[in-house]
Amino acid sequence: MLNAQQILDEGLLKLEHAQGKPAQVGFDLTLKQVNQIGNNGVINKKIGKVLKDKTELTAYTPYGLINLDGVTGWLLYPGVYDITFNEGCKLPNNRVAFIKQRSSLYRNGTIINSPVFDPGFETEFMGTLMYVHETIFIEENARVAQIYFHECQPAELYNGQWQ
């Protein structure tokens, strides 16, 4: 696992819009946007006898910001939300990344769990899902997650539809 200085030295993160900061073995990510997840997602949809090699996302609706006691943020009720961070990433062929919630969210009944960010994955703003089990207010640009990177053997670079 890489430490924060290695992450910064290797330029694994796109920090142009970053609000986060280095952690011991990762980098804190900040909340840019929250979306409500709709219905009807499709994975490898079959059309007749042909397998369509494409994932279709469910409908995402921006979840509105509110002002609570002079603080702008999201009042989230139990459910699953699509979230976007202010930070992006650019992974070479020998790095893989994962995102987990910070302990303060975890202690408040909220879990963030990402898929694998494969070697070659690049995006201006990373995103994943957040599972809210108890109503919570999260301030805009709050540090909510930590990305951590592992070294791996050089691999074929990701070149999928979500690049």
Side-chain angles (χ1 to χ4, degrees), residues 17-158:
H17 308 284
Q19 308 275 332
K21 67 177 198 172
Q24 288 80 1
V25 292
F27 196 92
D28 286 347
L29 303 177
T30 57
L31 193 55
K32 171 184 168 57
Q33 184 176 346
V34 175
N35 292 304
Q36 186 96 39
I37 296 178
N39 296 319
N40 304 320
V42 177
I43 308 268
N44 290 332
K45 178 178 167 184
K46 260 192 178 181
I47 301 175
K49 294 183 179 183
V50 178
L51 184 63
K52 182 178 178 185
D53 187 23
K54 186 174 182 181
T55 300
E56 297 174 13
L57 295 177
T58 62
Y60 292 134
T61 305
Y63 197 82
L65 289 163
I66 66 164
N67 189 295
L68 184 65
D69 295 330
V71 178
T72 301
W74 295 272
L75 181 60
L76 302 173
Y77 298 97
V80 181
Y81 299 88
D82 170 73
I83 60 173
T84 303
F85 302 105
N86 288 302
E87 296 79 17
C89 68
K90 182 177 182 178
L91 302 180
N93 72 342
N94 65 341
R95 298 291 184 254
V96 62
F98 302 90
I99 297 173
K100 292 293 284 180
Q101 73 284 331
R102 295 186 73 226
S103 62
S104 53
L105 258 68
Y106 188 74
R107 290 190 312 268
N108 281 287
T110 300
I111 297 170
I112 295 173
N113 197 17
S114 74
V116 175
F117 289 90
D118 290 313
F121 185 78
E122 181 178 352
T123 185
E124 289 299 314
F125 302 102
M126 291 175 286
T128 193
L129 294 181
M130 181 166 62
Y131 304 85
V132 175
H133 295 281
E134 299 292 334
T135 301
I136 188 171
F137 178 80
I138 302 176
E139 187 175 345
E140 183 178 26
N141 299 317
R143 291 181 296 134
V144 295
Q146 183 174 335
I147 188 168
Y148 54 100
F149 296 86
H150 290 276
E151 182 176 8
C152 63
Q153 293 299 312
E156 181 179 333
L157 296 179
Y158 175 82

